[in-house]
Amino acid sequence: MAVTLRALQTVVPPTILIQEQVRDIFAAQPGLSRLAQRLVSTSFNVSGIETRHTVIDELTLDNEATDPQFFDARQQLLLVPSTKVRNELYISEATKLFVEAGRLALAACPDIRPEDVTHVVTVSCTGFYAPGPDYMLVRELGLRASTQRYHLGFMGCYASMPALRTAKQFVEADPNAVVLVVSAELCSLHLRTSSDPDTIVASSLFSDGAAAGIVSARPPLPGEKALALDLFETVITPVGEGDMAWKIGDAGFEMVLSTYVPHIIDEHIEGALAPLFARDASITGQLAASLHADSAVSAVGTVLAAPVLTIAPPASLSSVIEHWAIHPGGRSILDKTEAKLELRADQLLPSRETLRTNGNMSSATILFVMKAILDGSATADGERVCAMAFGPGLTVESCLMTVIEG
């Protein structure tokens, strides 16, 4: 029984942030050191981002808000709203994105009606409320009152991967299950001015967006392309616990995003992928791979036995796995991944284009990349897809999928 991800749909809020304009505003904020001003220019210029989206309509140069809470356009001043103010906006605006993305996903699956949905899995790390987005989806989309609801909160950028894994497990337990998975993130609510390098990097990357899809055992319709969810794997790298973190402060949520993260990924990405590939006989066979145990000790003292994949030429990952959905946490992460795994430039294009036009939307971003792959004219039935997302810990979530065309 193939469990498939269908009807991937994405939504972004209407307010567009031009990266160069945002850079100049952040660089001109009072209290920044000269070093911080240079870091702002560098971080924004090398981000690989041209545009981002936000639910904060104040964040435009021409806004005329009489009582601004986030940005005073007249003084070109970034304000410091409380966590409560930020979360209140999350409640109203995130709900809209959750519902719109879910509605679009259902509309894209004409053989699935709202009353067919048995489970809802929602994902977000940029706000909280109860009853939450899982409840709002049931109410606003006309799902059955008995729909089982699950929310994965505060996990960070990788959270859509365990959401898909959970959905797959529901369908494997009950082949009649239909799971609506929706991620919505409002990262821009927590952007702030600071001389701290980690905060500057975060301010140059994060944005808002939502994505949704339907997981079930129902095959795609004629002409429809979907993704069979084959295998999932989770790995915690032996270092990096303090290099990517997400905490709640008095003036919003506080992101720790060290510039060392790309180096951690560079050093450990092969070891993180090895357990996933080792479970797929077709991949290991094509790569003529040999596996051996390599024990690594994590920052918290847990021993991880992670097989390391040794690839014998002439096979390569880029030839065995055609499509790569890599979470674009930043341009340097994509650069390191492309070089380390010896991927072709075109295989990272969906990730780079997602970053260029939308920035880093935390957990929703990987679903944007998957949709870009599915929508590609060259994507064909039977081709393999490897997805990877990174988050606090440092946690690496990976997945093997197969393109299925109805």
Side-chain angles (χ1 to χ4, degrees):
M1 179 183 68
V3 178
T4 60
L5 170 62
R6 301 173 55 194
L8 269 175
Q9 300 294 308
T10 58
V11 179
V12 292
T15 300
I16 299 175
L17 301 177
I18 307 299
Q19 188 76 337
E20 292 179 352
Q21 294 177 353
V22 180
R23 174 201 63 200
D24 294 343
I25 290 171
F26 270 80
Q29 295 305 296
L32 289 184
S33 65
R34 290 185 179 180
L35 175 59
Q37 290 174 338
R38 291 197 296 270
L39 286 175
V40 167
S41 295
T42 300
S43 295
F44 278 75
N45 289 343
V46 304
S47 65
I49 297 170
E50 293 181 7
T51 56
R52 293 183 274 173
H53 296 81
T54 178
V55 297
I56 307 172
D57 54 15
E58 289 179 10
L59 293 181
T60 55
L61 297 176
D62 57 353
N63 87 77
E64 299 179 356
T66 56
D67 184 25
Q69 294 181 307
F70 288 85
F71 178 59
D72 186 333
R74 296 176 182 176
Q75 301 185 62
Q76 299 287 286
L77 184 64
L78 290 166
L79 306 178
V80 188
S82 67
T83 300
K84 180 179 180 179
V85 168
R86 299 175 197 260
N87 198 64
E88 287 295 323
L89 189 57
Y90 174 89
I91 292 171
S92 63
E93 298 303 319
T95 299
K96 295 176 185 176
L97 293 180
F98 272 109
V99 172
E100 184 178 357
R103 182 175 287 117
L104 288 174
L106 285 171
C109 260
D111 59 319
I112 291 178
R113 299 166 299 174
E115 56 267 30
D116 294 332
V117 176
T118 58
H119 301 71
V120 165
V121 180
T122 53
V123 184
S124 191
C125 69
T126 46
F128 297 96
Y129 65 105
D134 51 310
Y135 170 90
M136 300 304 294
L137 285 167
V138 170
R139 191 180 74 175
E140 297 297 324
L141 299 182
L143 308 186
R144 291 182 298 169
S146 60
T147 302
Q148 297 182 37
R149 313 190 322 262
Y150 302 85
H151 181 70
L152 301 184
F154 223 64
M155 297 180 74
C157 295
Y158 66 82
S160 285
M161 301 286 274
L164 293 177
R165 180 175 60 235
T166 299
K168 180 176 189 281
Q169 291 168 344
F170 288 149
V171 176
E172 288 174 334
D174 177 7
N176 294 315
V178 175
V179 188
L180 175 63
V181 178
V182 190
S183 164
E185 301 285 13
L186 273 56
C187 306
S188 71
L189 294 179
H190 307 290
L191 300 184
R192 69 195 67 232
T193 179
S194 173
S195 293
D196 176 67
D198 290 350
T199 303
I200 291 172
V201 171
S203 297
S204 71
L205 293 173
F206 285 99
S207 57
D208 304 346
I214 295 174
V215 176
S216 75
R218 303 188 187 190
L221 298 175
E224 177 190 2
K225 284 189 288 189
L227 292 169
L229 302 174
D230 300 330
L231 297 168
F232 289 86
E233 192 65 58
T234 301
V235 171
I236 299 175
T237 61
V239 295
E241 183 178 358
D243 291 284
M244 189 183 295
W246 193 222
K247 301 176 181 179
I248 299 176
D250 292 333
F253 298 174
E254 299 170 357
M255 165 62 76
V256 175
L257 187 60
S258 167
T259 55
Y260 192 61
V261 168
H263 300 284
I264 298 173
I265 292 173
D266 181 51
E267 292 175 1
H268 297 283
I269 190 170
E270 290 181 310
L273 282 174
L276 181 73
F277 294 159
R279 294 166 55 199
D280 190 293
S282 66
I283 288 180
T284 54
Q286 290 181 74
L287 291 173
S290 62
L291 299 174
H292 63 275
D294 179 30
S295 297
V297 181
S298 74
V300 293
T302 303
V303 176
L304 303 174
V308 173
L309 193 61
T310 303
I311 303 169
S316 67
L317 289 175
S318 62
S319 63
V320 173
I321 301 173
E322 180 61 30
H323 303 286
W324 292 79
I326 306 299
H327 170 65
R331 196 186 77 175
S332 57
I333 289 176
L334 297 179
D335 291 344
K336 293 288 188 181
T337 301
E338 181 178 333
K340 191 71 173 183
L341 300 181
E342 299 182 352
L343 304 180
R344 303 190 311 269
D346 64 284
Q347 291 176 311
L348 267 293
L349 189 59
S351 294
R352 294 192 189 276
E353 281 297 296
T354 298
L355 182 67
R356 183 181 68 83
T357 58
N358 295 289
N360 183 344
M361 300 163 286
S362 191
S363 67
T365 320
I366 192 67
L367 300 177
F368 276 68
V369 180
M370 291 180 188
K371 176 174 170 54
I373 291 172
L374 275 181
D375 291 347
S377 59
T379 302
D381 182 70
E383 292 179 335
R384 303 303 299 276
V385 180
C386 180
M388 294 189 74
F390 319 98
L394 198 150
T395 301
V396 182
E397 289 279 352
S398 58
C399 174
L400 277 174
M401 299 172 284
T402 303
V403 177
I404 296 180
E405 188 167 357

